[in-house]
Amino acid sequence: MSSREKSFLAILMPIMALFFLFNTLPLIQGFLYSFTNFRGFGTYDWIGLRNYADLFQDSRVGNSYRFTFLFAVVSTVLVNVLSLVLALGLNAKISAKSALRGIYFIPNVLGGLVVGYIFSFFFTYILPAFGTAIGLSDLSSSWLARTDRAWLAVVVVAAWQSIAMNTLIYISGLQTVPLDVYEAGAIDGATGWRRFRHLTLPLIMPFITINMVLCMKNSLMVFDQIMALTQGGPAQSTESISYLIYSNGMGGGQFGYQSANAVLFFVVIVVISVFQMKFLGSKEEQL
């Protein structure tokens, strides 16, 4: 073995050991606990697939999946539409373009819990005061205390923070479209919406695929915003799967049961991500 190969191994082995210790090993342990009635402490027994069977009969788990999928779909569509519109604007020939890009990226720098607590104050005090002042009854009470509006508040906060990164990726995609494609399209009369529909959109499909897959995955795993804004309430109307696994697994004495829920959720995310990549990948165009 050459000295170069020894150097690579000396760098690689500690990283692989840490990855196994803090990522792979907990994953294997969680999978094994999913076949037990472990409560997080004390002794436990092997119960086979009973946890998995119970998941499909648990109405609370079903409601969590229903909320999470609704949140993920609405959030993914909203974030990607707004991000693409912002990217088109920030990629145009406007003044102070670099400064505006920096300002729009600020939400992504802030932590999810910090943003959540700031918006919690906004939805609890500022928005109701504003709604009362203008006489709009729908805004005069806190959305976070209403079962029909709390999920919308979580969507607003998550979208506000996610748009920054998606916009950056879309700007990168728009800058890869060659100018001669637009010039050739202009000769054929492709301008405005027709240029965007038939030239820009097909050529940035790889970037749309990346954003859609990442945004859907992150939305399905929503946790920080739930923790800071609603903690699953009111009446468990905003209880996401990740929050349910955390709250009942760590503090509810259901470690084994929620480990099974986590394993099932992992499989669901992988299936959705693979489907998205295959479907959106088939729409991509190459020059």
PDB file of all heavy atoms in Angstrom, residues 10-33:
ATOM      1  N   ALA A  10      -6.223   6.923   6.515  1.00  0.00           N
ATOM      2  CA  ALA A  10      -6.119   7.589   7.816  1.00  0.00           C
ATOM      3  C   ALA A  10      -7.177   8.680   7.967  1.00  0.00           C
ATOM      4  O   ALA A  10      -7.651   8.960   9.071  1.00  0.00           O
ATOM      5  CB  ALA A  10      -4.720   8.188   7.981  1.00  0.00           C
ATOM      6  N   ILE A  11      -7.546   9.308   6.840  1.00  0.00           N
ATOM      7  CA  ILE A  11      -8.587  10.342   6.882  1.00  0.00           C
ATOM      8  C   ILE A  11      -9.979   9.713   6.881  1.00  0.00           C
ATOM      9  O   ILE A  11     -10.886  10.150   7.596  1.00  0.00           O
ATOM     10  CB  ILE A  11      -8.422  11.295   5.677  1.00  0.00           C
ATOM     11  CG1 ILE A  11      -7.076  12.027   5.766  1.00  0.00           C
ATOM     12  CG2 ILE A  11      -9.585  12.280   5.601  1.00  0.00           C
ATOM     13  CD1 ILE A  11      -6.750  12.834   4.532  1.00  0.00           C
ATOM     14  N   LEU A  12     -10.129   8.648   6.065  1.00  0.00           N
ATOM     15  CA  LEU A  12     -11.451   8.065   5.844  1.00  0.00           C
ATOM     16  C   LEU A  12     -11.952   7.241   7.024  1.00  0.00           C
ATOM     17  O   LEU A  12     -13.142   7.310   7.385  1.00  0.00           O
ATOM     18  CB  LEU A  12     -11.410   7.194   4.585  1.00  0.00           C
ATOM     19  CG  LEU A  12     -12.744   6.596   4.119  1.00  0.00           C
ATOM     20  CD1 LEU A  12     -13.710   7.714   3.768  1.00  0.00           C
ATOM     21  CD2 LEU A  12     -12.521   5.687   2.920  1.00  0.00           C
ATOM     22  N   MET A  13     -11.073   6.466   7.642  1.00  0.00           N
ATOM     23  CA  MET A  13     -11.515   5.527   8.684  1.00  0.00           C
ATOM     24  C   MET A  13     -12.169   6.213   9.891  1.00  0.00           C
ATOM     25  O   MET A  13     -13.225   5.760  10.358  1.00  0.00           O
ATOM     26  CB  MET A  13     -10.334   4.658   9.138  1.00  0.00           C
ATOM     27  CG  MET A  13      -9.841   3.684   8.074  1.00  0.00           C
ATOM     28  SD  MET A  13     -11.171   2.651   7.413  1.00  0.00           S
ATOM     29  CE  MET A  13     -11.523   1.630   8.823  1.00  0.00           C
ATOM     30  N   PRO A  14     -11.590   7.292  10.430  1.00  0.00           N
ATOM     31  CA  PRO A  14     -12.275   7.957  11.564  1.00  0.00           C
ATOM     32  C   PRO A  14     -13.653   8.479  11.187  1.00  0.00           C
ATOM     33  O   PRO A  14     -14.591   8.399  11.982  1.00  0.00           O
ATOM     34  CB  PRO A  14     -11.323   9.107  11.926  1.00  0.00           C
ATOM     35  CG  PRO A  14     -10.010   8.708  11.393  1.00  0.00           C
ATOM     36  CD  PRO A  14     -10.287   7.918  10.156  1.00  0.00           C
ATOM     37  N   ILE A  15     -13.783   9.003   9.951  1.00  0.00           N
ATOM     38  CA  ILE A  15     -15.081   9.528   9.517  1.00  0.00           C
ATOM     39  C   ILE A  15     -16.100   8.404   9.398  1.00  0.00           C
ATOM     40  O   ILE A  15     -17.256   8.532   9.831  1.00  0.00           O
ATOM     41  CB  ILE A  15     -14.929  10.272   8.173  1.00  0.00           C
ATOM     42  CG1 ILE A  15     -14.020  11.483   8.349  1.00  0.00           C
ATOM     43  CG2 ILE A  15     -16.285  10.692   7.631  1.00  0.00           C
ATOM     44  CD1 ILE A  15     -13.673  12.193   7.070  1.00  0.00           C
ATOM     45  N   MET A  16     -15.668   7.270   8.823  1.00  0.00           N
ATOM     46  CA  MET A  16     -16.572   6.127   8.694  1.00  0.00           C
ATOM     47  C   MET A  16     -16.975   5.580  10.067  1.00  0.00           C
ATOM     48  O   MET A  16     -18.119   5.180  10.283  1.00  0.00           O
ATOM     49  CB  MET A  16     -15.916   5.025   7.855  1.00  0.00           C
ATOM     50  CG  MET A  16     -15.774   5.374   6.385  1.00  0.00           C
ATOM     51  SD  MET A  16     -15.121   4.003   5.413  1.00  0.00           S
ATOM     52  CE  MET A  16     -16.437   2.808   5.571  1.00  0.00           C
ATOM     53  N   ALA A  17     -16.017   5.577  11.003  1.00  0.00           N
ATOM     54  CA  ALA A  17     -16.313   5.080  12.355  1.00  0.00           C
ATOM     55  C   ALA A  17     -17.336   5.983  13.054  1.00  0.00           C
ATOM     56  O   ALA A  17     -18.283   5.502  13.688  1.00  0.00           O
ATOM     57  CB  ALA A  17     -15.025   5.017  13.174  1.00  0.00           C
ATOM     58  N   LEU A  18     -17.170   7.309  12.917  1.00  0.00           N
ATOM     59  CA  LEU A  18     -18.128   8.244  13.520  1.00  0.00           C
ATOM     60  C   LEU A  18     -19.499   8.131  12.875  1.00  0.00           C
ATOM     61  O   LEU A  18     -20.528   8.195  13.561  1.00  0.00           O
ATOM     62  CB  LEU A  18     -17.601   9.676  13.393  1.00  0.00           C
ATOM     63  CG  LEU A  18     -16.378  10.021  14.249  1.00  0.00           C
ATOM     64  CD1 LEU A  18     -15.849  11.404  13.881  1.00  0.00           C
ATOM     65  CD2 LEU A  18     -16.750   9.971  15.735  1.00  0.00           C
ATOM     66  N   PHE A  19     -19.527   7.972  11.535  1.00  0.00           N
ATOM     67  CA  PHE A  19     -20.801   7.832  10.830  1.00  0.00           C
ATOM     68  C   PHE A  19     -21.539   6.574  11.304  1.00  0.00           C
ATOM     69  O   PHE A  19     -22.745   6.599  11.547  1.00  0.00           O
ATOM     70  CB  PHE A  19     -20.556   7.765   9.321  1.00  0.00           C
ATOM     71  CG  PHE A  19     -21.818   7.687   8.510  1.00  0.00           C
ATOM     72  CD1 PHE A  19     -22.538   8.828   8.199  1.00  0.00           C
ATOM     73  CD2 PHE A  19     -22.296   6.459   8.062  1.00  0.00           C
ATOM     74  CE1 PHE A  19     -23.704   8.754   7.465  1.00  0.00           C
ATOM     75  CE2 PHE A  19     -23.471   6.380   7.330  1.00  0.00           C
ATOM     76  CZ  PHE A  19     -24.171   7.523   7.034  1.00  0.00           C
ATOM     77  N   PHE A  20     -20.781   5.480  11.451  1.00  0.00           N
ATOM     78  CA  PHE A  20     -21.408   4.238  11.915  1.00  0.00           C
ATOM     79  C   PHE A  20     -21.907   4.383  13.351  1.00  0.00           C
ATOM     80  O   PHE A  20     -23.007   3.948  13.691  1.00  0.00           O
ATOM     81  CB  PHE A  20     -20.407   3.084  11.825  1.00  0.00           C
ATOM     82  CG  PHE A  20     -20.959   1.787  12.341  1.00  0.00           C
ATOM     83  CD1 PHE A  20     -21.770   0.991  11.540  1.00  0.00           C
ATOM     84  CD2 PHE A  20     -20.674   1.353  13.640  1.00  0.00           C
ATOM     85  CE1 PHE A  20     -22.297  -0.198  12.019  1.00  0.00           C
ATOM     86  CE2 PHE A  20     -21.196   0.166  14.121  1.00  0.00           C
ATOM     87  CZ  PHE A  20     -22.007  -0.612  13.309  1.00  0.00           C
ATOM     88  N   LEU A  21     -21.103   5.052  14.185  1.00  0.00           N
ATOM     89  CA  LEU A  21     -21.436   5.164  15.602  1.00  0.00           C
ATOM     90  C   LEU A  21     -22.663   6.036  15.840  1.00  0.00           C
ATOM     91  O   LEU A  21     -23.523   5.693  16.667  1.00  0.00           O
ATOM     92  CB  LEU A  21     -20.228   5.743  16.355  1.00  0.00           C
ATOM     93  CG  LEU A  21     -20.340   5.821  17.882  1.00  0.00           C
ATOM     94  CD1 LEU A  21     -20.485   4.415  18.474  1.00  0.00           C
ATOM     95  CD2 LEU A  21     -19.128   6.520  18.472  1.00  0.00           C
ATOM     96  N   PHE A  22     -22.763   7.159  15.121  1.00  0.00           N
ATOM     97  CA  PHE A  22     -23.834   8.121  15.399  1.00  0.00           C
ATOM     98  C   PHE A  22     -24.989   8.060  14.398  1.00  0.00           C
ATOM     99  O   PHE A  22     -25.996   8.738  14.594  1.00  0.00           O
ATOM    100  CB  PHE A  22     -23.265   9.540  15.424  1.00  0.00           C
ATOM    101  CG  PHE A  22     -22.338   9.785  16.577  1.00  0.00           C
ATOM    102  CD1 PHE A  22     -20.975   9.881  16.365  1.00  0.00           C
ATOM    103  CD2 PHE A  22     -22.825   9.888  17.869  1.00  0.00           C
ATOM    104  CE1 PHE A  22     -20.103  10.091  17.431  1.00  0.00           C
ATOM    105  CE2 PHE A  22     -21.965  10.095  18.936  1.00  0.00           C
ATOM    106  CZ  PHE A  22     -20.605  10.195  18.723  1.00  0.00           C
ATOM    107  N   ASN A  23     -24.853   7.283  13.315  1.00  0.00           N
ATOM    108  CA  ASN A  23     -25.931   7.205  12.332  1.00  0.00           C
ATOM    109  C   ASN A  23     -26.408   5.772  12.128  1.00  0.00           C
ATOM    110  O   ASN A  23     -27.584   5.458  12.353  1.00  0.00           O
ATOM    111  CB  ASN A  23     -25.447   7.810  10.996  1.00  0.00           C
ATOM    112  CG  ASN A  23     -26.550   7.852   9.957  1.00  0.00           C
ATOM    113  OD1 ASN A  23     -26.914   6.825   9.394  1.00  0.00           O
ATOM    114  ND2 ASN A  23     -27.091   9.028   9.697  1.00  0.00           N
ATOM    115  N   THR A  24     -25.506   4.905  11.695  1.00  0.00           N
ATOM    116  CA  THR A  24     -25.911   3.544  11.345  1.00  0.00           C
ATOM    117  C   THR A  24     -26.307   2.730  12.568  1.00  0.00           C
ATOM    118  O   THR A  24     -27.338   2.032  12.553  1.00  0.00           O
ATOM    119  CB  THR A  24     -24.767   2.823  10.601  1.00  0.00           C
ATOM    120  OG1 THR A  24     -24.336   3.645   9.524  1.00  0.00           O
ATOM    121  CG2 THR A  24     -25.248   1.492  10.058  1.00  0.00           C
ATOM    122  N   LEU A  25     -25.521   2.799  13.636  1.00  0.00           N
ATOM    123  CA  LEU A  25     -25.816   2.005  14.836  1.00  0.00           C
ATOM    124  C   LEU A  25     -27.161   2.383  15.466  1.00  0.00           C
ATOM    125  O   LEU A  25     -27.965   1.491  15.777  1.00  0.00           O
ATOM    126  CB  LEU A  25     -24.673   2.159  15.847  1.00  0.00           C
ATOM    127  CG  LEU A  25     -24.786   1.314  17.122  1.00  0.00           C
ATOM    128  CD1 LEU A  25     -24.855  -0.176  16.760  1.00  0.00           C
ATOM    129  CD2 LEU A  25     -23.606   1.574  18.057  1.00  0.00           C
ATOM    130  N   PRO A  26     -27.471   3.704  15.661  1.00  0.00           N
ATOM    131  CA  PRO A  26     -28.816   4.035  16.174  1.00  0.00           C
ATOM    132  C   PRO A  26     -29.935   3.572  15.259  1.00  0.00           C
ATOM    133  O   PRO A  26     -31.012   3.188  15.738  1.00  0.00           O
ATOM    134  CB  PRO A  26     -28.776   5.571  16.258  1.00  0.00           C
ATOM    135  CG  PRO A  26     -27.340   5.907  16.387  1.00  0.00           C
ATOM    136  CD  PRO A  26     -26.615   4.890  15.565  1.00  0.00           C
ATOM    137  N   LEU A  27     -29.681   3.600  13.935  1.00  0.00           N
ATOM    138  CA  LEU A  27     -30.700   3.135  12.987  1.00  0.00           C
ATOM    139  C   LEU A  27     -30.974   1.644  13.181  1.00  0.00           C
ATOM    140  O   LEU A  27     -32.139   1.201  13.213  1.00  0.00           O
ATOM    141  CB  LEU A  27     -30.227   3.404  11.554  1.00  0.00           C
ATOM    142  CG  LEU A  27     -31.217   3.074  10.440  1.00  0.00           C
ATOM    143  CD1 LEU A  27     -32.416   3.996  10.508  1.00  0.00           C
ATOM    144  CD2 LEU A  27     -30.533   3.209   9.074  1.00  0.00           C
ATOM    145  N   ILE A  28     -29.910   0.866  13.348  1.00  0.00           N
ATOM    146  CA  ILE A  28     -30.072  -0.582  13.563  1.00  0.00           C
ATOM    147  C   ILE A  28     -30.762  -0.842  14.906  1.00  0.00           C
ATOM    148  O   ILE A  28     -31.663  -1.688  15.009  1.00  0.00           O
ATOM    149  CB  ILE A  28     -28.696  -1.277  13.510  1.00  0.00           C
ATOM    150  CG1 ILE A  28     -28.093  -1.162  12.109  1.00  0.00           C
ATOM    151  CG2 ILE A  28     -28.818  -2.744  13.917  1.00  0.00           C
ATOM    152  CD1 ILE A  28     -26.665  -1.647  12.011  1.00  0.00           C
ATOM    153  N   GLN A  29     -30.351  -0.103  15.947  1.00  0.00           N
ATOM    154  CA  GLN A  29     -30.980  -0.279  17.258  1.00  0.00           C
ATOM    155  C   GLN A  29     -32.464   0.068  17.221  1.00  0.00           C
ATOM    156  O   GLN A  29     -33.296  -0.642  17.792  1.00  0.00           O
ATOM    157  CB  GLN A  29     -30.268   0.597  18.290  1.00  0.00           C
ATOM    158  CG  GLN A  29     -28.905   0.071  18.705  1.00  0.00           C
ATOM    159  CD  GLN A  29     -28.272   0.944  19.778  1.00  0.00           C
ATOM    160  OE1 GLN A  29     -28.267   2.163  19.673  1.00  0.00           O
ATOM    161  NE2 GLN A  29     -27.737   0.316  20.803  1.00  0.00           N
ATOM    162  N   GLY A  30     -32.812   1.163  16.532  1.00  0.00           N
ATOM    163  CA  GLY A  30     -34.216   1.543  16.421  1.00  0.00           C
ATOM    164  C   GLY A  30     -35.030   0.487  15.705  1.00  0.00           C
ATOM    165  O   GLY A  30     -36.174   0.193  16.093  1.00  0.00           O
ATOM    166  N   PHE A  31     -34.441  -0.095  14.652  1.00  0.00           N
ATOM    167  CA  PHE A  31     -35.131  -1.159  13.916  1.00  0.00           C
ATOM    168  C   PHE A  31     -35.380  -2.370  14.817  1.00  0.00           C
ATOM    169  O   PHE A  31     -36.461  -2.962  14.797  1.00  0.00           O
ATOM    170  CB  PHE A  31     -34.297  -1.557  12.696  1.00  0.00           C
ATOM    171  CG  PHE A  31     -34.910  -2.646  11.875  1.00  0.00           C
ATOM    172  CD1 PHE A  31     -36.063  -2.415  11.125  1.00  0.00           C
ATOM    173  CD2 PHE A  31     -34.348  -3.919  11.861  1.00  0.00           C
ATOM    174  CE1 PHE A  31     -36.632  -3.428  10.375  1.00  0.00           C
ATOM    175  CE2 PHE A  31     -34.906  -4.933  11.113  1.00  0.00           C
ATOM    176  CZ  PHE A  31     -36.049  -4.690  10.371  1.00  0.00           C
ATOM    177  N   LEU A  32     -34.391  -2.737  15.628  1.00  0.00           N
ATOM    178  CA  LEU A  32     -34.553  -3.877  16.535  1.00  0.00           C
ATOM    179  C   LEU A  32     -35.585  -3.581  17.625  1.00  0.00           C
ATOM    180  O   LEU A  32     -36.404  -4.432  17.970  1.00  0.00           O
ATOM    181  CB  LEU A  32     -33.201  -4.238  17.165  1.00  0.00           C
ATOM    182  CG  LEU A  32     -32.140  -4.763  16.191  1.00  0.00           C
ATOM    183  CD1 LEU A  32     -30.818  -5.012  16.911  1.00  0.00           C
ATOM    184  CD2 LEU A  32     -32.608  -6.052  15.518  1.00  0.00           C
ATOM    185  N   TYR A  33     -35.555  -2.330  18.164  1.00  0.00           N
ATOM    186  CA  TYR A  33     -36.533  -1.959  19.199  1.00  0.00           C
ATOM    187  C   TYR A  33     -37.964  -1.962  18.667  1.00  0.00           C
ATOM    188  O   TYR A  33     -38.921  -2.075  19.446  1.00  0.00           O
ATOM    189  CB  TYR A  33     -36.205  -0.573  19.761  1.00  0.00           C
ATOM    190  CG  TYR A  33     -35.117  -0.569  20.805  1.00  0.00           C
ATOM    191  CD1 TYR A  33     -34.043   0.296  20.704  1.00  0.00           C
ATOM    192  CD2 TYR A  33     -35.187  -1.427  21.906  1.00  0.00           C
ATOM    193  CE1 TYR A  33     -33.032   0.308  21.674  1.00  0.00           C
ATOM    194  CE2 TYR A  33     -34.187  -1.424  22.876  1.00  0.00           C
ATOM    195  CZ  TYR A  33     -33.110  -0.549  22.745  1.00  0.00           C
ATOM    196  OH  TYR A  33     -32.138  -0.556  23.705  1.00  0.00           O
TER     197      TYR A  33
END
